[in-house]
């Protein structure tokens, strides 16, 4: 789920950026500090939107920068268990599917693709669902449900998906 989060913080403006518009520099510094960061309260910060920065700053002894109170809105992606998501198949392997969920990729183990027999076709790099004669290729759109969310050290969020429920699976073009 995507959400907007209001944040109050302090932004450090380095001396080499003095003379430039304060709001522009604040946005740059906030993006550098927050974008791509996984937080416990908001989830994965995608981008910084509205920035309101105090024109009055503080100077800390030994640091030539100024510190300004700031309020901003951040767009965050915060997935939750049992959430139904849609995405494009990025990669098909013999162990499953990598799905583009927007800001992050999810993974569907081959055993979670369908209740029926699923085979990997190495020549096509696709998964074959034998009973229904469905082929899942790179570029296909699928609907899945999140069943596990975890942290991978050094890699960030790890989202595991399933398509083994009614209404989930390959989205057929109409």
């Amino acid at each position: 789920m995507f959400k907007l989060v209001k944040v109050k913080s302090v932004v450090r403006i380095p001396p080499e950026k003095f003379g430039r518009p304060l709001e522009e520099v604040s946005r740059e510094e906030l993006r550098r500090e927050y974008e791509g960061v996984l937080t416990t309260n908001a989830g994965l910060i995608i981008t910084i939107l509205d920035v309101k920065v105090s024109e009055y700053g503080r100077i800390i002894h030994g640091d030539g920068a100024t510190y300004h109170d700031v309020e901003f809105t951040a767009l965050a992606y915060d997935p939750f268990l049992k959430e139904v998501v849609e995405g494009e198949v990025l990669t098909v392997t013999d162990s499953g599917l990598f799905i583009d969920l927007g800001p992050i990729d999810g993974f569907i183990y081959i055993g979670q693709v369908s209740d029926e027999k699923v085979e990997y076709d190495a020549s096509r790099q696709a998964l074959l669902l034998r009973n229904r004669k469905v082929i899942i290729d790179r570029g296909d759109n699928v609907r899945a449900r999140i069943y596990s969310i975890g942290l991978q050290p050094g890699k960030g969020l790890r989202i595991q998906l399933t398509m083994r429920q009614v209404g989930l699976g390959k989205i057929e073009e109409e």
Side-chain angles (χ1 to χ4, degrees):
M1 165 184 359
F2 290 93
K3 61 184 179 180
L4 295 175
V5 181
K6 296 272 188 192
V7 180
K8 289 184 180 182
S9 186
V10 175
V11 63
R12 179 184 185 273
I13 307 297
E16 60 270 11
K17 295 189 177 182
F18 290 170
R20 290 180 48 203
L22 185 59
E23 194 168 296
E24 176 186 311
V25 173
S26 296
R27 185 182 309 273
E28 283 177 14
E29 293 300 309
L30 291 169
R31 281 187 169 159
R32 187 182 56 74
E33 183 177 348
Y34 287 98
E35 284 183 0
V37 173
L38 182 62
T39 67
T40 55
N41 297 343
L44 180 67
I45 304 296
I46 306 300
T47 192
I48 304 301
L49 301 172
D50 304 323
V51 176
K52 294 178 185 163
V53 61
S54 171
E55 61 185 54
Y56 301 104
R58 297 176 297 283
I59 299 174
I60 297 175
H61 182 71
D63 185 356
T66 58
Y67 292 80
H68 299 261
D69 292 329
V70 67
E71 292 182 20
F72 61 92
T73 304
L75 175 64
Y77 178 66
D78 193 14
F80 58 90
L81 291 176
K82 299 183 181 177
E83 177 180 9
V84 175
V85 295
E86 292 182 0
E88 181 180 334
V89 176
L90 295 174
T91 308
V92 181
T93 68
D94 60 346
S95 59
L97 305 168
F98 287 93
I99 309 298
D100 178 6
L101 300 177
I104 195 166
D105 296 342
F107 185 72
I108 305 173
Y109 286 103
I110 196 165
Q112 293 295 323
V113 170
S114 177
D115 286 332
E116 66 184 85
K117 183 167 175 62
V118 179
E119 295 177 1
Y120 176 67
D121 183 350
S123 63
R124 292 181 66 168
Q125 291 188 335
L127 293 183
L128 309 173
L129 283 65
R130 289 289 180 195
N131 295 349
R132 292 185 289 151
K133 297 185 178 22
V134 172
I135 299 171
I136 301 176
D137 273 317
R138 183 173 176 257
D140 287 344
N141 289 313
V142 296
R143 183 176 297 120
R145 183 178 306 276
I146 297 174
Y147 77 87
S148 175
I149 302 171
L151 273 177
Q152 273 185 307
K155 294 184 180 180
L157 272 181
R158 177 180 172 173
I159 298 179
Q160 294 179 344
L161 307 165
T162 183
M163 294 192 311
R164 292 181 65 173
Q165 295 170 353
V166 176
L168 305 179
K170 182 176 176 179
I171 300 171
E172 300 293 337
E173 295 178 17
E174 297 176 25

